[in-house]
């Protein structure tokens, strides 16, 4: 941890996560920096070599795990913010771990703050919460109303947050990357018959189904699995058990800067989430836009938003867990055989969902807050 000292006024952004893996945090910091604001990002247990020329960044490295790690991180952020309170123009706090800290610091130091709600904690009335979920939901419930701006990950989540918490100042920002720069001619040459999954590795993402489908798919079709999670070893063991080692590649968890490179030789992307919980039901996957920019047709799980995208733009096919295996095989084969048609359809989707549109929404919201500060 470097206890950086800053002479100029700045916007303090905080995330309880390793920054090199969090594209949403990186983009928000870059966008606000483009306004001419000095941005300082505090993260947790990040790669100490991480560098971004658009903003300052340093990591709090905790020797603890679980609740103690979060408590020590809270303490450090509060201490740092109080010491620098005369220089902090605005607090920008990411994810539910920090919503209470925004309320607390605003109460004792009168610092204006933004809450970027990466996840949707609100659930249906009949849903039972465990102790951890109840704790963070309670913190959000009693803190979010005091935020000067709440950023939601998509329109559906913004609507729910506004309705349940009766919020007034909200904006939804889709997690769309800037135009991915790559050599298209080279990309065509190196593409193989890979289907790629990137994200959290748990059984509720239907990853096991796609591994099993390889048994019935042509042998030239392979699967690349990018990411980490509680069931990584389970999936690796399954691949060995099925003798699919030559057709399934695991990369492990990799920094966001390497994701595009790993996707370049893939033809089809998987966008798959569990249907349990409103957070999954109203998912907001950045991989959707990344795959599109890489001209990769997609396999979607049947969330309402993903189903609408599939029907309107015809850039992929929806595959549900309940489908017959033969139907799944037919749809995946169709994606490979008609890949150029799906790629042509991608142009309208990319035109409708742009980084520039999302950047304008965030810059306007932050600019309006800064004007109120002055």
């Amino acid at each position: 941890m470097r206890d950086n000292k800053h002479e100029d006024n700045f916007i303090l952004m905080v995330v309880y996560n390793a920054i090199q893996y969090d594209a949403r945090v990186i983009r928000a910091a870059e966008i606000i920096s483009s306004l001419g604001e000095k941005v300082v990002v505090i993260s947790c247990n990040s790669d100490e070599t991480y560098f971004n020329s658009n903003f300052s960044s340093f990591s709090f490295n905790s020797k603890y795990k679980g609740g103690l790690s979060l408590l020590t991180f809270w303490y450090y952020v509060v201490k740092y913010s109080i010491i620098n309170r005369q220089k902090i123009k605005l607090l920008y706090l990411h994810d539910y771990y920090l919503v209470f800290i925004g309320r607390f610091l605003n109460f004792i130091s009168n610092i204006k703050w933004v809450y970027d709600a990466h996840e949707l904690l609100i659930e249906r009335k009949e849903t039972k919460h465990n102790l951890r979920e109840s704790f963070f939901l309670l913190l959000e419930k009693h803190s979010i109303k005091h935020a000067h701006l709440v950023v939601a990950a998509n329109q559906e989540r913004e609507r729910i947050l506004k309705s349940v918490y009766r919020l007034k100042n909200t904006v939804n920002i889709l997690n769309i990357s800037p135009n991915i720069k790559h050599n298209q001619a080279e990309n065509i040459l190196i593409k193989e018959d890979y289907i790629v999954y990137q994200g959290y590795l748990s059984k509720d993402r239907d990853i096991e189904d796609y591994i099993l489908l390889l048994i019935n798919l042509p042998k030239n079709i392979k699967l690349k699995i990018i990411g980490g999670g509680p069931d990584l070893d389970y999936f690796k063991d399954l691949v060995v058990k099925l003798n699919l080692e030559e057709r399934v590649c695991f990369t492990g968890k990799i920094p966001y800067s390497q994701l595009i490179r790993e996707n370049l030789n893939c033809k089809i992307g998987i966008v798959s989430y569990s249907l349990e919980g409103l957070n999954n039901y109203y998912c907001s996957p950045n991989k959707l836009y990344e795959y599109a920019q890489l001209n990769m047709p997609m396999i979607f799980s049947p969330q309402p938003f993903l189903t609408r995208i599939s029907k309107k733009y015809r850039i992929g096919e929806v595959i549900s867990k309940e489908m017959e295996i033969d139907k799944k095989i037919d749809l995946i084969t169709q994606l490979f055989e008609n890949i150029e048609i799906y790629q042509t359809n991608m142009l309208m989707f990319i035109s409708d969902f742009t980084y520039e549109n999302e950047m304008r929404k965030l810059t306007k919201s932050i600019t309006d807050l800064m004007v109120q500060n002055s």
Side-chain angles (χ1 to χ4, degrees):
M1 178 184 67
R2 300 190 303 273
D3 197 7
N4 290 15
K5 294 181 180 180
H6 303 279
E7 295 181 359
D8 302 325
N9 292 345
F10 59 93
I11 292 176
L12 179 61
M13 186 172 288
V14 188
V15 59
Y16 182 61
N17 193 13
I19 192 172
Q20 69 268 20
Y21 300 120
D22 204 319
R24 187 172 181 86
V25 175
I26 294 170
R27 285 182 198 133
E30 290 176 340
I31 289 170
I32 296 173
S33 173
S34 72
L35 296 173
E37 297 291 344
K38 181 178 178 61
V39 179
V40 176
V41 181
I42 302 176
S43 57
C44 187
N45 294 334
S46 297
D47 183 347
E48 287 287 352
T49 65
Y50 176 82
F51 173 76
N52 190 307
S53 60
N54 296 288
F55 56 85
S56 299
S57 171
F58 61 98
S59 174
F60 172 83
N61 297 322
S62 176
K63 62 182 179 180
Y64 302 108
K65 292 183 179 180
L68 276 177
S69 173
L70 181 58
L71 284 173
T72 54
F73 186 70
W74 279 354
Y75 174 77
Y76 177 76
V77 171
V78 169
K79 179 181 175 183
Y80 179 91
S81 300
I82 291 174
I83 291 172
N84 292 280
R85 63 187 179 277
Q86 299 299 329
K87 300 172 186 175
I88 297 174
K89 301 169 73 173
L90 185 71
L91 270 173
Y92 193 117
L93 304 176
H94 286 273
D95 219 347
Y96 59 84
Y97 295 106
L98 295 163
V99 63
F100 168 71
I101 297 302
R103 168 62 178 139
F104 179 73
L105 287 172
N106 173 252
F107 179 75
I108 65 172
S109 299
N110 199 32
I111 303 174
K112 284 196 172 182
W113 63 291
V114 177
Y115 172 45
D116 195 322
H118 291 210
E119 310 289 335
L120 185 64
L121 298 185
I122 297 165
E123 278 297 348
R124 298 178 177 92
K125 289 183 179 179
E126 64 271 18
T127 301
K128 293 183 179 180
H129 298 282
N130 60 34
L131 184 61
R132 180 186 181 280
E133 292 166 342
S134 298
F135 174 71
F136 285 111
L137 185 59
L138 182 66
L139 291 184
E140 183 179 78
K141 179 181 179 181
H142 289 286
S143 304
I144 192 171
K145 295 177 184 178
H146 301 279
H148 297 84
L149 173 67
V150 174
V151 181
N154 59 31
Q155 192 172 26
E156 290 86 355
R157 291 185 183 184
E158 181 187 19
R159 175 181 55 78
I160 292 170
L161 287 170
K162 288 183 73 170
S163 173
V164 173
Y165 293 132
R166 299 183 180 181
L167 305 177
K168 295 181 179 179
N169 196 9
T170 64
V171 64
N172 70 84
I173 307 293
L174 298 175
N175 196 10
I176 302 178
S177 62
N179 292 331
I180 297 170
K181 296 173 183 173
H182 61 285
N183 187 319
Q184 281 193 323
E186 179 184 349
N187 193 20
I188 293 170
L189 291 175
I190 66 173
K191 276 192 180 293
E192 302 175 43
D193 292 330
Y194 265 117
I195 302 171
V196 62
Y197 171 88
Q198 65 181 52
Y200 190 63
L201 301 186
S202 65
K203 294 177 184 178
D204 64 3
R205 297 290 182 96
D206 295 340
I207 301 166
E208 182 173 355
D209 289 1
Y210 290 104
I211 294 173
L212 294 171
L213 282 173
L214 286 177
I215 298 170
N216 297 295
L217 284 165
K219 298 205 183 310
N220 59 297
I221 295 178
K222 295 176 283 187
L223 178 64
K224 181 182 287 191
I225 299 176
I226 301 172
D231 296 318
L232 173 59
D233 289 338
Y234 172 82
F235 295 132
K236 285 184 174 181
D237 291 342
L238 178 64
V239 167
V240 172
K241 181 180 178 181
L242 297 172
N243 295 315
L244 292 171
E245 297 99 311
E246 294 185 2
R247 295 178 65 191
V248 181
C249 166
F250 291 91
T251 70
K253 191 173 183 179
I254 59 176
Y256 177 73
S257 59
Q258 296 178 23
L259 274 179
I260 303 307
R261 192 183 316 139
E262 283 293 341
N263 282 320
L264 281 176
N265 70 331
C266 304
K267 287 186 177 178
I268 308 295
I270 297 173
V271 184
S272 180
Y273 291 86
S274 165
L275 290 172
E276 292 186 8
L278 294 180
N279 186 56
N280 288 319
Y281 195 73
Y282 295 112
C283 63
S284 184
N286 57 304
K287 68 194 76 171
L288 165 65
Y289 312 106
E290 291 161 2
Y291 290 154
Q293 289 190 31
L294 289 171
N295 227 14
M296 293 166 55
M298 286 161 258
I299 299 168
F300 299 116
S301 53
Q303 271 76 5
F305 173 65
L306 299 178
T307 301
R308 288 199 304 271
I309 292 294
S310 175
K311 287 181 178 179
K312 180 176 180 178
Y313 295 98
R314 303 304 304 164
I315 60 173
E317 299 294 338
V318 175
I319 293 182
S320 66
K321 194 174 184 65
E322 298 74 24
M323 274 185 184
E324 296 291 332
I325 290 179
D326 288 346
K327 177 64 174 176
K328 294 179 181 179
I329 297 296
D330 287 344
L331 288 173
I332 293 173
T333 303
Q334 178 179 311
L335 283 167
F336 277 99
E337 290 179 348
N338 301 297
I339 193 166
E340 292 182 357
I341 296 174
Y342 291 102
Q343 288 174 333
T344 300
N345 296 341
M346 213 76 72
L347 296 174
M348 181 179 293
F349 176 78
I350 293 172
S351 174
D352 286 352
F353 292 89
T354 69
Y355 168 78
E356 288 75 19
N357 286 344
E358 304 311 304
M359 181 176 67
R360 279 191 287 270
K361 287 193 290 183
L362 183 58
T363 54
K364 182 182 185 306
S365 297
I366 296 298
T367 300
D368 289 347
L369 266 186
M370 300 302 292
V371 169
Q372 295 171 20
N373 271 356
S374 60

